[in-house]
Amino acid sequence: MLFPDTLKYQNWRRSMVKNLQERGITDKRILAAMEKLPRHWFVPETLLDRVLYDIDYAVGIDCGQTISKPYTVAWQTQLLDAKRQQSVLEVGTGSGYQTAVLCELGLRVFTVERQRMLLDKAKELLSQLGYLSVRYYFGDCFDGVRELKDFMFDRILVTCGAEEIPEGLMRCLRVGGIMVVPVGDIDGQRMLKIIKNGDTPDQWQVEDVGDAWFVPMLQGKVGSLPVR
Ligand code: SAH
């Protein structure tokens, strides 16, 4: 049973959206999606607090991971500049909140997570909320998504911090596509927007758009059997 979406939460969301606008989020579709979606359904019930709707606050979920802060979700989504019906690969399903925002934009969403428990939980919640067309993959996707070997995505959104530009993933981005990815090490990550103008790295237009703080993009899977 989902915790009720009372007036209190709706008001918190309205002020969250106002704060996002003041911080430079202009895409009305993203703002509408985030005003609509009860963010508190995506975290453990012990965290039902005002802070969840603070645009600069990332909250812990299971497996030592976090749900990205609202500002980061809105900012990364805006940088992605995706049009309806485009295919987007989300790397790091986590709570599923970002996945739901992408669905609300009318995108064809593929999401991959290396923690089996998080993937299963997100899948269950998103299905319950009626997002039935999301495709889920269990893995670390350093070399792309094994089950989708020849598929080319229009957009790739990485929600964990890579040490360097993930070249394996760049190979599954179509020419003309965009990847948004935080890159760096413990001394600091930068948010990169990469436009793939051609197959070779010298044809990738890399734009550094600001500071980033993400849990690391790690190799290997945690958990058992693949999700079907
Ligand atoms: N988009 C999520 C953010 C979760 S935090 C949300 O809105 O809640 C980042 C997630 O990336 C974590 O769940 C972590 O397990 C996952 N992750 C880390 N390395 C990964 C990899 N190589 N492949 C897939 N997922 C990865």
Side-chain angles (χ1 to χ4, degrees):
M1 254 277 284
L2 292 169
F3 199 81
D5 186 32
T6 58
L7 204 58
K8 177 175 82 172
Y9 291 107
Q10 293 168 25
N11 287 336
W12 286 351
R13 279 210 297 287
R14 211 161 296 131
S15 77
M16 172 187 82
V17 163
K18 196 164 144 277
N19 294 337
L20 290 171
Q21 276 176 302
E22 283 168 7
R23 189 70 74 75
I25 303 301
T26 51
D27 188 325
K28 294 271 185 311
R29 299 168 313 154
I30 298 173
L31 295 167
M34 292 180 68
E35 180 156 349
K36 173 180 167 186
L37 269 173
R39 187 169 155 83
H40 58 274
W41 287 347
F42 294 82
V43 300
E45 272 197 22
T46 46
L47 294 171
L48 299 180
D49 195 86
R50 174 91 181 83
V51 83
L52 189 56
Y53 287 98
D54 179 330
I55 67 168
D56 290 316
Y57 207 88
V59 179
I61 53 174
D62 293 311
C63 307
Q65 304 303 315
T66 52
I67 177 173
S68 301
K69 33 188 175 177
Y71 177 71
T72 303
V73 172
W75 184 44
Q76 281 200 297
T77 311
Q78 186 161 279
L79 287 168
L80 206 60
D81 197 17
K83 318 280 177 295
R84 277 189 87 78
Q85 289 304 317
Q86 283 188 319
S87 56
V88 54
L89 175 67
E90 176 194 27
V91 179
T93 316
S95 67
Y97 177 71
Q98 171 78 72
T99 323
V101 171
L102 296 172
C103 289
E104 284 292 327
L105 300 184
L107 302 169
R108 286 187 292 135
V109 184
F110 301 75
T111 188
V112 55
E113 170 60 59
R114 67 182 285 277
Q115 296 268 5
R116 172 70 200 251
M117 181 197 168
L118 291 177
L119 187 65
D120 283 351
K121 233 174 142 169
K123 184 178 182 186
E124 192 186 325
L125 175 61
L126 291 166
S127 307
Q128 193 182 349
L129 299 182
Y131 300 109
L132 302 177
S133 58
V134 179
R135 308 267 299 270
Y136 301 87
Y137 300 94
F138 177 46
D140 72 11
C141 65
F142 269 82
D143 291 316
V145 179
R146 193 172 42 86
E147 296 87 337
L148 294 172
K149 226 164 45 63
D150 299 318
F151 194 86
M152 294 296 227
F153 296 97
D154 295 308
R155 298 286 185 268
I156 298 182
L157 176 56
V158 184
T159 69
C160 41
E163 274 177 25
E164 46 199 40
I165 292 176
E167 297 208 2
L169 275 174
M170 280 301 288
R171 280 198 290 277
C172 14
L173 185 64
R174 74 164 171 79
V175 171
I178 298 175
M179 178 189 289
V180 174
V181 55
V183 173
D185 54 26
I186 41 167
D187 293 328
Q189 293 171 353
R190 308 293 301 170
M191 187 72 80
L192 304 183
K193 173 175 177 170
I194 307 173
I195 302 175
K196 181 171 169 177
N197 292 321
D199 285 324
T200 55
D202 59 305
Q203 295 168 296
W204 301 347
Q205 182 185 324
V206 181
E207 213 183 310
D208 178 337
V209 291
D211 286 323
W213 291 269
F214 283 79
V215 294
M217 180 169 175
L218 300 173
Q219 237 151 356
K221 302 188 210 183
V222 184
S224 54
L225 300 168
V227 170
R228 276 275 155 250

